[in-house]
Every structure is written in C-alpha cells, then in structure tokens.
C-alpha cells in the first residue's frame, strides 16, 4: 500500500514539474522548487528521470552575477510529435505539431464523397505516412486526436455526423485495428474550445467557443473542464431552433440556428443571389468594401441571427469569455460592434467576446494539444505559440 502511494505521489510530482517546465521554461531547478513548493531533492530526482527519458534538456543561460551559472531546464520539443485531424465534410486537415504545440507540418486532403470506408482508408494511409516521416524522433507520433463535426459519445463513438450522414461509427476502433497508435475521437467544437484555453486564455476557467464554419458547434469549459453532458452531446447549439417552421435541417427538425448563422449557409445564400457558385473570404471582403447591396443585406441578416443565438447562450450559461470562431465575421469590420450592441441587455451578462485568432487552425491545434496533454499525463496545459508559425506552415494535398 505504501509503495502504491509513493508511486502515485511520484507520478503527481512528475506531472506538476513537467507542466511548470512547459509553462515557464527555460527554468532553473531552484525556481521550480519555489513555484511547485516541492523540495529541491524531489526536483533534482524528477529532473534526472525526465532527462533520462529524453523529455527535457539542460542549457546554460546568460548570467551576469558572480557565481555559478544556473542550469536551465526546458522541454525537448522535438522528442515527439502530435497529430491532430480535423475531419470536415469537404476535406480533412492534418496538423502535426511538436511537443510545445507549434505546427511543423499541415496537409489538406479533399473528400470526393462521404463513403465511410474510403475515408477510413485515407486516414490510415496518412497516419502511417506521418509515423514514417517522424520516426526519426525519440517518441515518434505520440498520439492521434480527430475532431468530428457531429455528436461524439462519452465512450468515443460517433453518434451522428449530419453532413456525412454517418450514424454510430466506431472510428477509434476501426483505425486502431490498422495503425499501431492510440486514437482519440472528440467533437470539433470541444477541441476548438480546448485550443483557445491552451493557447490564448490561460487564466480563463469559464469559456465558450462557437465554431461557425460547416455548421455551428459549441465547446464549453466550466471551471477549466469541458462540459460534455450525460451522453457527450452537450454543445450542439447549432440545432437550437430559432425559427419555428423554418428551413428543414439534416437533423430532422426545422429552423435550426446553423441554417441561418453558419458560414456555409451564408455562402450558399450569396452564391445563389449573385449567381457565383464559387466564392471565398477574399471575395466577400471585396464585396463588403464595394458595399454590394446583396452582400450587405445578407450580412446584416446573418449578424442578426448570430446575435439571437448568442443571446440565448449567454442567458443560459453566463460565460466569462465568448470566442467566435469565424473567418466570415473578420471580413466585416463593423460585425463585432453590432453583435455587442445586439446582445447588450439588462439581463444578459458576460465578461468579454472575441473573434478567434486561431481560425480554421483551432480544431487541429486543439487536437494536437490534447494529444500532448494525454501523452505527458498533465493535469493542465498552457502553451504559447508565435502567430507567424500558423501563417508560414505550408499546406499541401497529401503528405510529401
């Protein structure tokens, strides 16, 4: 019993020390002892183990005072790599990051259809290719996390993906039978919320992320933990009915929020009005600048519906921070001021609202961060990333 307790305490101490090295590194052993409130002997023993495992490295820093230069400890960022996958309905985006969450490689594979078996094979081929590509590192690919644009149960079964029309798919098991690595399946909005917490809002414990691309999903962190609900379906706010007897939805009901406030619904509407089947964000930006009547009217209507849904969410959950993951809203400079005005009432209350800086990278980065957290067995994870890393990360169709 005593051995078990000692082993458990060592594991807890290791996780604590490693999380502080990640957050504050490079950091000296003496500073670690102060931050963690652990003894210097415990710090030294754990550091020796982490060095032996090749998870951390030692280095000297600039030191102007008289005396011995302190030896600094840092995470060995290239000791392993995390693979995050954003499985949407038009394409699959793959993100590989180092152990500090910095993306080092991204790929996008377009999907020709929703055939489950064909998509499984794409995933298997890509995962195997990444395992080979990063096999030179000490740990290789340390985990795979896949973001699903649909409902995922607490035991990681895909319950329903509206765009693909998938029901009850055990993607985790189907992949693990073919690749020698642990696979985690999670709702994409949950991963986006986790990414915002890990990379941007370290101190925030009550955060909501609204992902607004191919549909609308909500990730909700309460007291720092994801809220998933009884079966794991919490956060499906895209299927909140805001227009009784409105447009029919793939979920089987009518008038769902995502039919009026998702980006795919907006682009579909504008494409029909302008008779232009292919439009991108730059096109919308230019049309807004030109004050195109059809686009301005559609944007006003879009923002109205976005605000209605946000007002409902704020009244229901009273969040500290709201993050809107939308590239479309960035194209309309007045969008946030209008939204803030629309949701300001004597009842609704929140602290702050932002448009996400992570954008379409959020799901993949959140997936990588979760893989890192699981691999290192950390109680908490805070990472800082240079925004330029996202800009310069090269995308291609398939791994090279």
């Amino acid at each position: 019993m005593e051995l078990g307790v000692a082993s458990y305490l060592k594991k807890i101490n290791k996780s604590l020390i490693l999380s502080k090295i990640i957050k504050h590194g490079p950091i000296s052993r003496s500073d670690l002892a102060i931050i963690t409130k652990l003894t210097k002997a415990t710090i030294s023993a754990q550091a020796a183990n982490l060095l032996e495992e090749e998870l951390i490295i030692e280095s000297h820093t600039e030191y102007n005072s008289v005396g011995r230069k302190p030896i600094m400890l840092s995470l060995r960022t290239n000791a392993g790599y995390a693979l995050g996958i954003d499985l949407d309905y038009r394409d699959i985006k793959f993100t590989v990051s180092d152990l500090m969450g910095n993306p080092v490689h991204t790929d996008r594979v377009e999907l020709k259809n929703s055939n489950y078996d064909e998509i499984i094979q794409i995933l298997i081929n890509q995962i195997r290719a990444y395992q080979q590509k990063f096999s030179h590192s000490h740990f290789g690919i340390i985990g795979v996390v896949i973001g699903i644009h649909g409902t995922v149960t607490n035991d990681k079964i895909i319950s329903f993906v509206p765009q693909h029309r998938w029901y009850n798919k055990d993607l985790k098991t189907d992949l693990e039978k073919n690749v020698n690595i642990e696979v985690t399946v999670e709702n994409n909005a949950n991963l986006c919320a986790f990414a915002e917490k890990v990379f941007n809002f370290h101190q925030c414990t009550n955060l909501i992320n609204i992902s607004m691309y191919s549909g609308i999903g909500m990730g909700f962190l309460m007291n720092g933990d994801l809220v998933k609900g009884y079966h794991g379906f919490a956060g499906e706010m895209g299927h909140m009915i805001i227009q009784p007897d409105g447009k029919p939805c793939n979920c089987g009901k009518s008038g769902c929020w995502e039919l009026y406030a998702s980006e795919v619904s907006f682009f579909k509407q504008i494409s029909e009005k302008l008779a232009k089947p292919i439009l991108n964000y730059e096109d919308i930006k230019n049309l807004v600048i030109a004050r195109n009547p059809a686009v301005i009217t559609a944007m006003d209507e879009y923002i109205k519906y976005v605000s209605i849904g946000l007002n409902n969410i704020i009244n229901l959950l009273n969040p500290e921070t709201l993050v809107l993951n939308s590239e479309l809203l960035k194209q309309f400079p007045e969008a946030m001021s209008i939204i803030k005005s629309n949701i300001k009432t004597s009842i609704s209350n929140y602290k702050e609202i932002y448009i996400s800086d992570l954008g379409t990278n959020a799901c993949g980065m959140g997936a990588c961060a979760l893989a890192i957290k699981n691999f290192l067995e950390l109680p908490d994870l805070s990472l800082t990333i240079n925004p330029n890393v996202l800009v310069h990360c090269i995308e291609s169709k398939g791994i090279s």
Side-chain angles (χ1 to χ4, degrees):
M1 183 67 177
E2 290 181 0
L3 287 175
V5 172
S7 176
Y8 176 72
L9 288 175
K10 285 182 179 179
K11 183 177 179 180
I12 294 296
N13 289 339
K14 175 184 175 181
S15 297
L16 175 61
I17 290 168
L18 198 50
S19 67
K20 298 305 180 185
I21 290 174
I22 291 171
K23 186 174 183 179
H24 300 286
I27 186 171
S28 67
R29 287 169 173 80
S30 59
D31 285 342
L32 267 176
I34 294 171
I35 291 174
T36 62
K37 295 181 172 56
L38 297 173
T39 66
K40 291 183 179 181
T42 298
I43 296 293
S44 294
Q46 288 287 353
N49 290 336
L50 290 169
L51 285 165
E52 186 176 350
E53 292 177 37
E54 297 189 33
L55 277 173
I56 64 173
I57 56 174
E58 292 181 322
S59 62
H60 290 279
T61 189
E62 292 296 328
Y63 190 66
N64 298 321
S65 301
V66 176
R68 185 177 176 184
K69 290 182 179 180
I71 297 174
M72 311 300 282
L73 303 177
S74 304
L75 185 72
R76 186 186 291 271
T77 59
N78 61 355
Y81 295 87
L83 175 56
I85 302 174
D86 183 358
L87 201 171
D88 207 343
Y89 81 103
R90 288 177 176 169
D91 55 36
I92 309 174
K93 185 175 181 181
F94 300 84
T95 303
V96 180
S97 80
D98 63 22
L99 293 184
M100 284 296 287
N102 296 296
V104 298
H105 190 98
T106 64
D107 292 300
R108 179 178 277 112
V109 176
E110 293 181 4
L111 295 178
K112 298 178 180 178
N113 55 58
S114 293
N115 184 280
Y116 180 75
D117 292 332
E118 290 183 21
I119 291 174
I120 280 282
Q121 196 56 55
I122 291 172
L123 292 170
I124 291 170
N125 293 342
Q126 291 289 119
I127 292 170
R128 286 174 176 172
Y130 290 122
Q131 288 176 305
Q132 178 63 35
K133 184 179 181 70
F134 293 93
S135 60
H136 64 278
S137 63
H138 184 67
F139 294 103
I141 297 294
I142 52 95
V144 177
V145 176
I146 304 177
I148 301 297
H149 294 242
T151 53
V152 179
T153 67
N154 286 325
D155 55 1
K156 305 307 176 186
I157 302 296
I158 298 174
S159 176
F160 178 50
V161 180
Q163 300 287 0
H164 285 304
R165 307 297 294 177
W166 290 351
Y167 295 90
N168 301 319
K169 298 294 185 182
D170 191 355
L171 180 62
K172 174 181 170 66
T173 299
D174 291 339
L175 286 175
E176 288 180 343
K177 286 188 297 188
N178 293 279
V179 294
N180 185 29
I181 194 168
E182 182 177 353
V183 176
T184 298
V185 178
E186 184 57 84
N187 172 267
N188 76 297
N190 285 343
L191 292 175
C192 290
F194 186 67
E196 296 295 342
K197 164 69 173 172
V198 169
F199 293 103
N200 288 329
F201 301 97
H202 298 161
Q203 306 304 318
C204 180
T205 60
N206 194 296
L207 179 146
I208 286 176
N209 179 89
I210 309 292
S211 297
M212 307 173 71
Y213 298 105
S214 57
I216 293 183
M218 185 185 82
F220 181 30
L221 289 161
M222 180 182 289
N223 298 324
D225 297 320
L226 281 169
V227 176
K228 297 186 179 183
Y230 178 57
H231 287 297
F233 300 166
E236 288 299 320
M237 300 305 291
H239 297 286
M240 164 179 58
I241 296 174
I242 63 167
Q243 190 74 278
D245 303 318
K247 301 174 185 177
C249 182
N250 285 331
C251 75
K253 295 186 178 180
S254 299
C256 293
W257 189 30
E258 67 178 39
L259 299 177
Y260 301 86
S262 67
E263 294 194 354
V264 69
S265 67
F266 178 88
F267 275 100
K268 181 180 179 181
Q269 178 186 355
I270 291 300
S271 291
E272 291 174 353
K273 284 187 176 182
L274 301 181
K276 293 183 178 181
I278 300 176
L279 289 169
N280 56 36
Y281 295 115
E282 189 67 22
D283 294 329
I284 298 299
K285 180 179 180 179
N286 291 333
L287 288 166
V288 168
I289 292 172
R291 309 305 290 180
N292 180 279
V295 173
I296 296 300
T297 299
M299 186 63 81
D300 288 342
E301 188 80 356
Y302 176 77
I303 290 174
K304 180 188 78 172
Y305 282 116
V306 168
S307 302
I308 290 171
L310 291 178
N311 185 71
N312 292 343
I313 291 169
I314 292 168
N315 285 334
L316 180 66
L317 298 173
N318 182 215
E320 175 185 355
T321 301
L322 272 164
V323 183
L324 307 182
N325 199 310
S326 169
E327 291 298 311
L328 181 59
L329 290 176
K330 292 179 182 178
Q331 315 310 317
F332 193 66
E334 299 92 345
M336 285 306 295
S337 62
I338 297 172
I339 289 173
K340 288 179 182 179
S341 176
N342 288 346
I343 61 178
K344 183 178 181 180
T345 72
S346 59
I347 301 298
S348 298
N349 198 354
Y350 64 95
K351 183 179 179 182
E352 49 198 0
I353 183 168
Y354 301 97
I355 295 180
S356 173
D357 291 331
L358 300 179
T360 55
N361 296 296
C363 178
M365 290 180 63
C368 288
L370 184 58
I372 293 167
K373 183 177 183 291
N374 292 343
F375 172 69
L376 297 178
E377 299 180 305
L378 300 176
D380 192 26
L381 183 63
S382 293
L383 301 172
T384 301
I385 190 167
N386 184 342
N388 292 328
V389 172
L390 297 180
V391 175
H392 297 296
C393 199
I394 300 173
E395 296 184 358
S396 61
K397 292 183 180 180
I399 193 169
S400 57

